[in-house]
Amino acid sequence: MVFGSVISSPRGNLSLQKALDLANLYLDNACKSTDPEIILVLCHDTEVSLSQAKRAGKHVEDKAVRQGIATVYIELGDLLDSHGHRDEAQAFYKKSDKWGGRTQGSGQPTHPSQPTGTVRSIKGALSTTAATPVTHPSSSPNQRRQGRDIATVPKTLFPVNVQPPAPDFKPPEPDARLDDTPQLACCLELLQEDYEPADILDIAARSWLEVTQDEPDEKERLMTLATDVIRAFKRDEFKNAKAVTEVVYLAPVLESDDFRYLVKEFYSGIDQSGLLDVHQLEGLARLVQGARSGYLDADDLVKVLELLSTRLRGTHQQSTHHLYQLTMAVSHVLDAMADTEVNGLDREKIHEPLSSYLDGLKGSSDPYLVYQAAYAYQALLCVPDDEALWQAAFRRSGKVIKGVFGIVTAVKGLDLNKFIEGLMSIQQGLAGASEIFDMVKSTYDGVTSLAKSGQGFFESLKEGFSFSHKCSWYPALRGADTLIREGQFAEFRKLVCEVPCRRDAAFQWGVCERLGEIAANPKWDPEIRQSAIAFLGEIYRNDVTWGHQPTVKQWILNILMQLSILPGGGMQSTGSLLQELQSNGDDKKQALYRVSRENGPGNHPLKVTLPAIGSPSLLDRVQERPDVEGHIRQLRRQRLKERGNAVYIPPQAKANLQAGDETCYPLMEKVDEFLASEQRVFLLLGDSGAGKSTFNRELECHLWEAYKKSGAIPLHISLPIIDKPEHDMIAKQLRRAEFTELQIRELKFHRTFTLICDGYDESHQTHNLYTSNRLNQLGEWNAKMVISCRSEYIGTDYRDRFQPGDRNHRSEPALFQEAVMTPFSVGQIQEYITQYVSVHRPLWEADEYKRALDLIPSLKELVKNPFLMSLSLEVLPRIVDPGQDLSATQITRVALYDQFIEHWLERGKKRLGEKKMGPLARAAFESLVDEGFTRNGIDYLKRLSVAIYKEQDGQPIVRYSRYNDESSWKTKFFNREDEKQLLREACPLIRTGNQHRFVHRSLLEYGLALAVFDPHDWKERMAPESVLTRRGSTTSVLSSDESDSKEKVPDIVEQEPDFKSPLAWRSFTRELSVLQFLEERVQQEPLFKQQLFDYIEHSKADKKWRTAASNAITILVRSGVQFNSVDLRGIKIPRADLSNGVFDSAQLQEADLRNVYFHGCWLRRADLSKALVTGVQFGELPLLEQEDDIQSCVYSPNGNAVAISLDNGKIKVYSTTTWEILWTGEHTNNVVIVAYSPNGDQLASGSWDKTVCLWDATTGASSHVLRGHGGGIACIAYSPQGDQLASGSDDKTVKLWDVETGDCLHTLTGHTKTVTSIAYSPKGDQIASGSGDATVRLWNIQTSECLHVLREHFEWISMVVFSPQGDQVASASDDNTVRLWTVATGDRRYTLTGHNRSVQSIAYSPKGDRMVSSSNDKTVRLWDVDTGNCLHTLTGHANEVKKVVYSPQGDLVASCSEDKTLRLWDAESGVCLQTLTGHAGCVKSAVFSPKGDQIVSTSFDSTVRLWEVGAGTSQPTSNGHRGWVRMVQCSPKGDEFASCSDDMTVRLWDVETGACRHILRGHRMVVYCVVYSPQGDQLATSSKDSTVRLWNVETGSCSHTLTGHAKEINRVAYSPQGDQLASGSDDRTVRLWNVKSGECRHVLTGHTYNIRDVVYSLNGQQVASSSNDKTVRLWDVETGECTFTLSGHSEWIWQFVYSPQGDQIATASYDKTARLWDVKTGECRHILTGHESELKTIAYSPDGGQVVSGSRDGSLRLWDTESGTCLQTLDGHNKPVNSTVFSPQGGLVVSACDDKSVRVWDAASGQCRAVIQDFQGYVQQAAWAETLTGSCIVTGSMDGLVGVWQVDVDGDQCHVRLRWRTVRGELDVKGTIMHDVQGLSQLNNQLLKQRGAIGDPANRLLEASKKVATMTSVVSNIKAVSERTEEPPLIGSVSAEQLEQRAEQAKDPLFRDIVAAIVKDIHGPK
């Protein structure tokens, strides 16, 4: 026997692994043997070896080892069973079970991955062959018996074959420059291979090939380019790795001559170089390796091999790395020679010397070199020499080996089984069992390091095993390479597991090398790379299957370590696998692991991909392309470096200005989506300081970090810095970045950009930069644009300034997107603080900042702005003293800026003081310090800000050149004088080259505002030295209420207004940021407020003050100052913004109000007689009041007219310019619908009188009356061509009419109920009709044939509509669904479900990709037509939604509802943009104007309203509550009052000024009650949320939240001492609370229904409660016991009160009576009867002698409390009276009523002394307040408004005037006097009349304004004609010249001026 010596050897000292290996060896030979006796002997020896293995591994827990033993037992049993020894087989099976069962394989399963890889050719990458799973039969023991030792690995390793990865192929345009060399290579391969376009999977490649195959010139151009690249390589002096890479890319697709020329170039370079050129050597090897068939003949290869062999043998002194490279190159050449069957290699000259040299390398200490030498030697053995066969036979023994060429052929055919058989024949012919045994003898003993184990590598293989004769591992690896290259990974796994040489160390080394390269190559898919890593782990772990060659294990560890550190190449699992392998195996294997990790990865990295191509590349040079990529990389490094370590919090944004902040999303993600989409412009809006610039810089860095060569270039453009950015701004910015003109030209025509345009507002732009720069037009820059702008800078139609396209040719809305940055959330604020503290290391810690933000109420809102957040963190440590009560500190925006500037200048002063200076500079510095450095700095800042606004119109960038600007204004600030330089350095300025700017735009605006009013400039004298502050001058007037300074503040001296003030020479009405600073100054500085009033007063006498006056009144209005009853006669305030101002009863006679904004202004009873009001804007348009309900409404196609139909049978057509009626028509019954013909020349009307009338749209003449229907007309529609009309009727038919003749063309019958809706297809060849019979029918209009009946609905059809493309029809039904049908087949495509009530209306978007539906379920839904999915559900309407319609541009959806509102929604996001309110009834329909800028709505209130799109009242400006005001309560101190509301807030108001001192937020539901403590320092509130809250009046903070009640709490009351609180709830209990601790002292139970009211007695010993159980209960406060129950009322007790003396209680009940009760006895003293309705309110007079009661019938009664008799009945109200109260003196009574009025009554006479009717909702409560200026009435109403009314009593006269009120942004002109106003337009006059204004404007000007309106109606026609033709524009048949002539003949000069202005507007000045 072959193994006799081994069998007889002792086994007792064998280790577990050796014993197991020996068992496997015996079993392998037993399987191969055919002799039954030998098989039994070998099986016995197998069992003996297994027994030793079991003894050695008795306690081994390694699953792989245990599974290995179990596997051998199974295979042993199978072998014996197959030879008839079944009993023995069963015994072995049982033993197998003990060691882990009969499961094959021992590897740990791994997670599958996905493949990609290096592309061998574009053919494989782009072909239609898909990756297919390959299933192999699982390995079984029987395969051993067939002579094949098959390894088992987890099936998750390489489970499928994959498609080789496609190259990034971008087909070039004909004659266009190519992007790079790989693109050229792809093109040439497609053209050279015999491809059919259908074979190409990639659509772009297929299209390109189809075109280019027929373009011989293009083919020639591409080939010439390739040749030129090769020539450029020859000329290249350095031929570095990148140049070599480039030509290697081209090599496989070159023509034969070019290829051989390139090989020759490499050959010469290697031959002639003194030192080995590794790059050219590698290039030559790759060329040989990838040569096409026939390109290299045998002589070429021999010549190359001879060169390499010579260089190899001569490379002794060079590095091992060079030897390795040479040996690898030799291997590639020999591989090629073997594949091409080169014969007759000269033995003496080449073969023998080379083989001898390679054999000598086996002694190298570098195992990598040894392996490569062995590989080369094997390749050399496959290249036959010129020795005769008999000579070879004489020298070698063994069988004749099958040639490697046959094997390679098998591989290329993927006949894997044939290939493996070939390998087995080699293995059997060359290898004996002794060699196999010697392989497994290697152990982990004595291993020190991989670097020293090279010799051991071959010692373990025996001499001659790899170097003496051919081995099967070489062709096996060649086959593996082919499989990998083709993506045949399943076959690759099978090959590795089944080849007979799988346990060869050399084979395993090569396999591991290839697995490492797969894992490291990012082009392969992660699943494939994951499998490669897992395969490496399998080979390392499973010694049973793969043996335990230490060098292989170390090589695996080396590969894994390389993968773990390879940038971007490694996988996350690599690290975890290395960690896992640390504990694998016995101690020796673990020692090997530790040694390998200590030595680290080897010197020879894995070969993955070719190096990157250089820039400029050879191709660039050939195409004469300048180097831009290098400059781009430089720009990238610079911009990323400039980012610095700034604090950055990822911002949130919302869809648009109208969207709520709660709808926000991550802004960066949204921008990334935009960049990946087809959209082109992204507009970023935000308030000043919102962080737009910070985000833009971060976005730029984000894009630079993701930048890849040839990708889109991020370009940040600061628009204010660029001169005229409306033209060629990209080139201008690139020049600033020092790109050359050639580079700029190259970038323009061959690259794309992402433009980040910052500061649109700061550059004072009005241009659309996208269109003015002609972006994405032919021959222009290819770019997307992200552009930022402050929200306050833009108007209502701002999109025209940003959307691609101009006003007349607007692009699709899909190309435009916008976002609005939202304020910081609480979480963002916290994160900002954390980052700020970490980066800047300020004086405070993060917790101190957070505490300050929590405790300073006014700061919480400020820091939501990122820039104000940064200012706050900078200055808080300065303005907050240790131990200061932060809750009492008030900080404003202007205070932060004050302190920030001071702090900045002080730091600058300190920095300069430490700086080395010359003597002159030092003297200047000291002089500035002596004078007050900070004060001088502030003065410099103010003067510079003023100069920038005055000289540069506020453009923030100042460009200063000493030579060009020597004599300009700039010299005063930027010259080289020492003082100027010092101040400039100290101020918050940035310098970039010759450009200077403030660090933030808002600092410029602050400086200007400070120049308008600086508190320090208005001191009578300088403060004493002892009170100098940080500024070095007088005490700063800080904008915080808290100050510990005890010094005396100097007296203020009043002065006349300064005409040099910026207020006098510049209008700031649009400078919102400046106005905001000035508003705060007004609120803090009474002197400034007075100055502004002085400006207004001065304007009365001198018009030079009108600009200052306009600014002044704008500032005052914005700061909340109200001008009620103020004398403003004769003021001159043109262009002032009085929006949301309150001018109740103001005297504005003869005022100059030209172009004033009155949006949302309260002008009730104001007198504007003889005022000049030309150009005033009210923000609203008049409505059309009708005499009956409106049925339908429609715009004319040109938008000049609107037609409506009424229930009374009338049709009215109005001019949209003047709102005048153009004509009327009439039916005999209600007109259901009107429709314009497509060209607008005809109007059709359908009526319930069974007729359709056709009218001339211009004259109103009736052309035809279409009769024939037997029922009322329900619907009509014009055909798209306008020649036909269809009508649907209650008679169940559809009729088609000829509109020219009026003839009936067809009658379409089939419906069984009313035809409810009809629609023409876009082509006009079909009609769809919907009916109450639940069907839709499609008709052919030519034949009247019914094509399809669509029957799936089961309720009434409300609407049908065709898609714009005509391929689909949609139907809406009362069955709650919308169904989409295919027109051609009648099949249902989708059923749109989601609505839960009837669908009333549907509409397709203009593009036809979306649909909108409205329903009675109060919702609107947006649908994707292609998928049937619901994209958005639009909620907000409070009642049924009757109609929806798309805007013409498709960007808006309008919805009409029974909730009396019209809503406009963003069609993309579903966000509500506007809520248009004003209708008093259900809004029935709406229609957009053809331009989409206006919308008309009709309502059941019999009005038509015209709205400006974008100017609605979706978010009315309000400074008050946004819900019903439930209660108002005056403070005991008299200086303020509190109000509570349904909006869940409580507000504290200053009685005198109306300033809101605090907004108390915390309740989660309606707040029912608010009361002050007796001391006035605390508030208690109760809410529907079942809680009571106690608030600190001074700070607004909540001190306690009292919980315990189970239901809503209706009332709370303080005890007289203020130490206790009572609360009454719907849970039928009263609770008594300790105010100080918040603890509940008593729970008072006894009432059987909800508690309505609670009140304490005057002494505080008793508390009373009233309930819906018709009783009042009196409780003892101390014990909580009920002392009396006052019963007697038969209905609810609505209210009760204690008498002022406390001895009596009065109750008011729904039983129509009031009762007076004795508190001591609980007896009823009097029952007060007389009211005819339920009582709601009752109150005592101050002396207790009277009570007043108020009833639901509107009456009040005064009663004598002693006798119970009725003294007076107060009649005047006509609805329920909600509250009554006596004045403090008792002489007056005030009542608040649901009739929206408050009345003041004389208590003695019962007469009504005054009526306040200025409310828009029920008045819930009125209260008296005594102030320093007299008595006031405080009111709160259901419209959310609170107000204070001054009551002046003079004898018998009582005058009530508005002192102040909150505003809601709604125009109110009721009672406004407009007598003889001048310049009022007709539309405005109509609007004011409708709103209740009185008086008539000046007649002549009114007539003139009518002419203006008439003339403007023809402007659009004139312009349209002038744009289409060069001929003089015509109006009808009148040219513009003729119009001018007629105007000259007219006697009216104003008419002549109008005509002249129109002609000038069209043609320009003559």
Side-chain angles (χ1 to χ4, degrees), residues 1121-1133:
V1121 174
Q1122 298 188 0
F1123 292 82
N1124 302 313
S1125 302
V1126 176
D1127 183 359
L1128 299 174
R1129 287 175 291 185
I1131 64 169
K1132 299 174 180 62
I1133 53 169

Side-chain angles (χ1 to χ4, degrees), residues 1543-1581:
D1543 65 6
M1544 300 181 287
T1545 70
V1546 178
R1547 294 174 184 250
L1548 307 187
W1549 307 92
D1550 186 295
V1551 173
E1552 294 286 346
T1553 67
C1556 182
R1557 293 180 174 179
H1558 293 294
I1559 301 175
L1560 311 183
R1561 293 185 172 92
H1563 284 296
R1564 300 186 307 276
M1565 300 181 77
V1566 176
V1567 185
Y1568 286 130
C1569 179
V1570 57
V1571 292
Y1572 278 92
S1573 65
Q1575 297 77 21
D1577 60 344
Q1578 193 179 72
L1579 271 177
T1581 57

Side-chain angles (χ1 to χ4, degrees), residues 634-653:
Q634 181 181 350
L635 178 62
R636 177 180 181 271
R637 287 192 296 271
Q638 173 190 338
R639 296 300 293 170
L640 290 176
K641 183 178 179 182
E642 289 174 359
R643 172 201 273 180
N645 195 24
V647 177
Y648 174 74
I649 303 298
Q652 300 283 304

Side-chain angles (χ1 to χ4, degrees), residues 803 810-813 1195-1197 1199 1364 1404-1408 1445-1454 1464 1467 1487-1495 1509:
Q803 196 164 293
R810 290 177 62 185
S811 299
E812 291 289 341
Y1195 258 103
S1196 64
Y1404 276 97
S1405 66
K1407 292 200 305 185
V1445 61
Y1446 268 97
S1447 66
Q1449 294 77 23
D1451 57 339
L1452 297 176
V1453 167
L1464 299 185
V1487 58
F1488 279 96
S1489 65
K1491 292 182 180 179
D1493 56 341
Q1494 292 181 337
I1495 189 168
V1509 174

Side-chain angles (χ1 to χ4, degrees), residues 1064-1096:
W1065 49 260
R1066 180 182 178 88
S1067 173
F1068 292 108
T1069 54
R1070 301 291 97 186
E1071 299 279 354
L1072 301 185
S1073 184
V1074 176
L1075 290 176
Q1076 188 174 355
F1077 285 118
L1078 296 175
E1079 291 166 31
E1080 293 184 359
R1081 290 288 188 208
V1082 168
Q1083 295 162 357
Q1084 298 154 12
E1085 303 289 349
L1087 177 59
F1088 181 45
K1089 181 176 180 180
Q1090 184 57 50
Q1091 284 181 3
L1092 296 179
F1093 275 109
D1094 291 344
Y1095 281 123
I1096 298 170

Side-chain angles (χ1 to χ4, degrees), residues 1287-1298:
S1287 57
S1289 169
D1290 190 44
D1291 67 2
K1292 311 170 189 176
T1293 69
V1294 176
K1295 288 182 178 287
L1296 307 184
W1297 311 85
D1298 186 303

Side-chain angles (χ1 to χ4, degrees), residues 953-993:
D953 195 31
Q955 212 284 343
I957 308 297
V958 181
R959 295 176 177 85
Y960 175 73
S961 169
R962 189 157 57 96
Y963 301 103
N964 298 330
D965 299 307
E966 192 67 35
S967 59
S968 75
W969 65 272
K970 302 175 186 177
T971 304
K972 298 178 183 178
F973 303 97
F974 301 104
N975 63 26
R976 296 189 176 183
E977 292 179 12
D978 291 326
E979 283 196 2
K980 299 292 192 302
Q981 243 178 320
L982 291 168
L983 292 173
R984 195 163 60 245
E985 286 184 43
C987 278
L989 296 171
I990 298 173
R991 177 180 176 180
T992 306

Side-chain angles (χ1 to χ4, degrees), residues 1155-1175:
N1155 300 302
V1156 167
Y1157 292 89
F1158 282 112
H1159 295 209
C1161 199
W1162 180 281
L1163 288 165
R1164 187 172 287 200
R1165 291 184 298 275
D1167 191 344
L1168 276 68
S1169 299
K1170 298 185 179 180
L1172 183 58
V1173 294
T1174 305

